[in-house]
Amino acid sequence: EIGLKMNTEDFNEKLIMAIVAGVLSFTVAWILRGIDWNRSFKDKRIEHAESTIIHLSKYIESWRRLIAIAMLQSARELTGEEKDRMVRYINQRDDAKNSLVSNINTLPLFFEDSVVNRFRTFKKGDGEQSTKRLSELPNIEEWEEWLRHLSEILRKHIR
């Protein structure tokens, strides 16, 4: 009877230890999964921010090239090669803008309204540029200032 009683006590003690270990393991796994999800989400935010700034940079650079060749065109007739280059610059600008707009439209998935609204302000102002003549376009430095400003906003919000 004593041997049986000790085995039962021993069993109960081991059962309690096993339950406690199981609960602790589950809790630790749950916490680690949350940490992993947060890290993954932050990585996605960083990737999206980087992609957005890359597309904005390409868009601005395409505008720079397009403005330069348009200025050349206003001074003289373009050669065949220059006309081909101009068409290529237009296509590159359009591709960069399409990618940029897609990124801006998906910013709400990763960033708060204050960030999204600054990009929407840029997008709205930029949309007004597409119908302007070369002489009416803003300085390329204005676009570069937008790039610096928007880069800084994203940098602050991905931490």
Side-chain angles (χ1 to χ4, degrees):
E1 195 176 300
I2 291 178
L4 188 58
K5 187 175 182 182
M6 289 189 62
N7 283 339
T8 305
E9 286 176 7
D10 217 20
F11 175 76
N12 287 342
E13 187 177 301
K14 288 181 180 177
L15 180 62
I16 290 171
M17 293 283 284
I19 291 171
V20 167
V23 168
L24 284 174
S25 294
F26 178 78
T27 303
V28 168
W30 184 263
I31 290 169
L32 289 176
R33 184 174 355 151
I35 290 170
D36 189 45
W37 186 87
N38 285 339
R39 185 175 297 131
S40 176
F41 184 72
K42 184 175 181 181
D43 289 346
K44 290 279 187 194
R45 285 171 54 118
I46 291 169
E47 288 173 21
H48 197 73
E50 179 181 31
S51 175
T52 302
I53 294 304
I54 286 170
H55 292 306
L56 178 57
S57 297
K58 287 179 179 180
Y59 180 61
I60 292 169
E61 186 57 32
S62 295
W63 260 119
R64 178 191 320 277
R65 292 175 182 165
L66 192 53
I67 290 169
I69 203 153
M71 289 174 70
L72 183 62
Q73 184 181 32
S74 67
R76 64 169 174 78
E77 187 171 334
L78 298 178
T79 66
E81 179 188 327
E82 291 167 335
K83 287 177 185 176
D84 291 344
R85 194 174 332 139
M86 185 173 194
V87 169
R88 191 171 63 247
Y89 292 163
I90 290 169
N91 291 334
Q92 288 172 344
R93 181 207 53 200
D94 292 348
D95 290 346
K97 181 164 186 171
N98 290 338
S99 297
L100 176 61
V101 167
S102 293
N103 274 37
I104 290 172
N105 290 340
T106 56
L107 279 173
L109 298 173
F110 301 99
F111 295 94
E112 53 273 357
D113 289 344
S114 63
V115 174
V116 174
N117 289 337
R118 293 305 297 152
F119 277 87
R120 285 181 179 154
T121 299
F122 167 79
K123 185 175 134 183
K124 182 181 180 212
D126 182 65
E128 297 167 358
Q129 306 308 324
S130 61
T131 58
K132 291 184 177 178
R133 295 184 172 279
L134 180 62
S135 61
E136 299 170 324
L137 286 173
N139 242 321
I140 202 71
E141 287 80 20
E142 288 182 43
W143 274 313
E144 289 173 337
E145 184 55 37
W146 271 107
L147 175 63
R148 282 188 291 278
H149 175 69
L150 295 173
S151 296
E152 181 64 20
I153 287 172
L154 286 175
R155 188 184 64 76
K156 286 179 182 176
H157 284 87
I158 57 175
R159 290 182 179 180

